[in-house]
Amino acid sequence: MRPRAFVLHLDLDAFFAAVEQRDKPSLRGKPVVVGGLGPRGVVSTASYEARVFGLRSAMPMHQARRLCPNAAFLAGRFGAYRTASRAVMRVLGGLSPLVEPLSLDEAYVDLEAGGQTDFSHQALIELAQAVRAQVKAATNGLTASVGVGSSKFMAKLASEQAKPDGVVVIDPGQEVDRIASLPVRAVPGVGPMTAERLQRLGVKTVADLRQALPGELRRELGPAVAKMLARLAWAEDDRPVSAERVVKSISVEDTFAQDHFDPAALEPVVARDAALIGARLRRSGHFARTITLKLKLADFASHSRSRTLLGAVDSDETIAQVALDLLRDQAHLVARGVRLLGVGLSGFTAAAQEALFEVASARSDETRVEFPATVARGRSEHYRPGDDVTHQDFGPGWVWGSGLGRVTVRFETAASGPGPIRTLPADDPKLRPNPVLPPPDEEEDEAEVEAG
Ligand code: TTP
Ligand code: MG
């Protein structure tokens, strides 16, 4: 570990919602929710104005609508998010050659590799403020929070504490005290499952973790995780910032305390894993075409089956549906006892291919059909809330709502100030979709999915 605060972590504030507020002036200062708008959709993110009502990422959309009925509920515009992300990563690339993107809106930077020599508190605060100003300028107004510390753990913690729109520098020497009273969830790698297991041992905070008996931790979590956590509890984290993160697949796995013999008992596990992994996929800004279900049996035999869909998807519902189908295909194995179940995604693309996606066609197993990476959405009946449109007479605007053959559009842009609303026939020949196209793929885009 280096005694200098050389890791910078940057994370945009309420990213998807902030892009929407930037481009839709009438929504600035108002509750905005971006996510799946269908009956089983979940919240991707909520603006800080909506968070006051208790809205959170991954919350079911129907619950969000109940808690905050007056929010604007938008479907999301990935082209715009990817464009903003690209601009942010460029700014960070100017700071150091060692930039590790974790998702579309989040990255670590190794400041030492970038030639920084002054690691005084004041110099780091100034640097972080300068980065935030550059990000704001490069994205036409998005705010980022920045944390700086002596490790990834500290830098990320610092940026969380800086939220929203702030800077926190954790000086070397402060680390151990700084984390003592935090819940174990603050430790990297501790997800809901691990936290639950720790809770069973009476371990709630980082300080509790330091007191825990090594033998108990090993038994509950396995030797590798136990060792890692024992170190992280003392803020020992020497994970390097690494720019090479070409991740081609992501997965979640559950190892069961007792073997399962009944496929029905595994179905809720599959559904939960699908939601977890779906959230990670959306966070990375990707869509996936291949879904894999892995089973490890009591006799340690390992079986996995994959299905490649015709179109790339990112909804929990579709991932779950295909994974459950794969489970059904392997139901005969379950009788041998399942000790581990995993759901994985691969075949990432930057754009959805919803027009081509039909679950029925997904059932024809293991057939790979190549399609172009982007399919233009484009018929009037497909206008989704938040989509960009343009009208020959009224200019550019966004879809406020649609249905019954009509589209309601607010004619405004990032630069225009709040604009008027008009309701038009959905087949008005003067009205066209006007999507922000995602930037062409560069090498760096490969690195945006978190490993796991
Ligand atoms: P986050 O950085 O976790 O959240 P945020 O930027 O919206 O808010 P803040 O950082 O200020 O707390 O995620 C970045 C984007 O990733 C988010 O805007 C939407 C997307 N996302 C999902 O789609 N699903 C999720 O479960 C999460 C956590 C994020
Ligand atoms: Mg963020």
Side-chain angles (χ1 to χ4, degrees), residues 383-396:
Y383 288 128
R384 307 171 315 159
D387 280 355
D388 293 303
V389 291
T390 185
H391 190 278
Q392 265 174 35
D393 299 337
F394 309 125

Side-chain angles (χ1 to χ4, degrees), residues 253-278:
E253 292 184 351
D254 288 295
T255 305
F256 305 116
Q258 276 155 359
D259 296 341
H260 279 290
F261 295 89
D262 178 9
L266 294 173
E267 285 177 10
V269 180
V270 169
R272 199 202 49 207
D273 286 355
L276 277 173
I277 204 168

Side-chain angles (χ1 to χ4, degrees), residues 11 19 54 57 88 94 116 136-137 144 156 244 283 330 338 364:
D11 188 313
V19 172
S57 293
V88 171
Q116 180 79 14
K136 198 167 195 167
K156 184 152 180 165
E244 279 117 63
R283 220 165 115 72
Q330 302 192 81
V338 174
S364 62

Side-chain angles (χ1 to χ4, degrees), residues 11-15 105 163 283:
D11 188 313
L12 295 171
D13 301 322
F15 178 37
D105 85 323
K163 273 194 175 292
R283 220 165 115 72

Side-chain angles (χ1 to χ4, degrees), residues 52-375:
V52 173
F53 297 89
L55 272 64
R56 295 287 175 267
S57 293
M59 175 181 277
M61 195 55 86
H62 61 81
Q63 188 181 354
R65 287 189 194 269
R66 227 176 21 244
L67 288 172
C68 192
N70 295 322
F73 291 89
L74 308 175
R77 298 176 301 135
F78 275 86
Y81 309 151
R82 293 188 72 82
T83 303
S85 174
R86 177 66 55 85
V88 171
M89 297 304 163
R90 285 233 166 88
V91 167
L92 299 181
L95 213 57
S96 168
L98 260 188
V99 176
E100 179 177 332
L102 295 174
S103 70
L104 278 186
D105 85 323
E106 187 187 350
Y108 291 113
V109 180
D110 185 321
L111 297 174
E112 218 157 30
Q116 180 79 14
T117 49
D118 185 351
F119 288 92
S120 65
H121 190 84
Q122 193 51 36
L124 292 172
I125 295 270
E126 281 165 18
L127 173 78
Q129 294 293 21
V131 172
R132 283 167 15 85
Q134 282 179 53
V135 164
K136 198 167 195 167
T139 57
N140 192 16
L142 298 184
T143 65
S145 297
V146 169
V148 186
S150 59
S151 65
K152 284 183 166 179
F153 182 6
M154 288 307 122
K156 184 152 180 165
L157 178 67
S159 80
E160 269 158 29
Q161 295 180 342
K163 273 194 175 292
D165 199 13
V167 171
V168 166
V169 174
I170 298 181
D171 290 316
Q174 296 182 343
E175 296 92 343
V176 172
D177 290 344
R178 193 89 177 216
I179 61 175
S181 61
L182 297 177
V184 285
R185 279 299 299 271
V187 176
V190 177
M193 297 265 287
T194 308
E196 203 184 300
R197 287 182 174 154
L198 287 169
Q199 175 96 34
R200 263 183 257 142
L201 302 178
V203 173
K204 293 193 190 112
T205 65
V206 174
D208 297 339
L209 191 55
R210 291 176 193 159
Q211 306 289 321
L213 295 172
E216 276 203 328
L217 284 182
R218 272 199 301 275
R219 215 167 318 125
E220 194 66 39
L221 305 167
V225 175
K227 190 172 160 201
M228 196 183 71
L229 290 191
R231 295 193 58 212
L232 288 169
W234 293 99
E236 287 170 26
D237 173 20
D238 56 8
R239 292 171 298 156
V241 176
S242 120
E244 279 117 63
R245 283 168 63 90
V246 182
V247 178
K248 296 244 155 78
S249 66
I250 53 176
S251 64
V252 263
E253 292 184 351
D254 288 295
T255 305
F256 305 116
Q258 276 155 359
D259 296 341
H260 279 290
F261 295 89
D262 178 9
L266 294 173
E267 285 177 10
V269 180
V270 169
R272 199 202 49 207
D273 286 355
L276 277 173
I277 204 168
R280 261 168 68 189
L281 179 71
R282 288 189 296 277
R283 220 165 115 72
S284 80
H286 285 80
F287 297 81
R289 285 186 54 215
T290 303
I291 295 158
T292 302
L293 183 89
K294 174 168 145 189
L295 298 177
K296 233 184 228 167
L297 305 181
D299 57 14
F300 288 91
S302 194
H303 294 263
S304 45
R305 285 200 87 170
S306 299
R307 187 160 301 170
T308 297
L309 306 176
L310 293 178
V313 297
D314 77 337
S315 90
D316 300 347
E317 218 169 329
T318 311
I319 297 166
Q321 198 177 343
V322 176
L324 285 169
D325 237 32
L326 291 168
L327 177 65
R328 262 167 237 130
D329 289 351
Q330 302 192 81
H332 59 286
L333 296 172
V334 177
R336 285 160 64 186
V338 174
R339 58 189 309 271
L340 174 149
L341 181 148
V343 178
L345 298 175
S346 54
F348 300 129
T349 68
Q353 296 159 312
E354 288 152 284
L356 293 172
F357 176 68
E358 285 160 33
V359 173
S361 58
R363 285 175 200 274
S364 62
D365 223 332
E366 328 282 6
T367 32
R368 285 168 177 275
V369 187
E370 291 304 326
F371 279 98
T374 309
V375 174

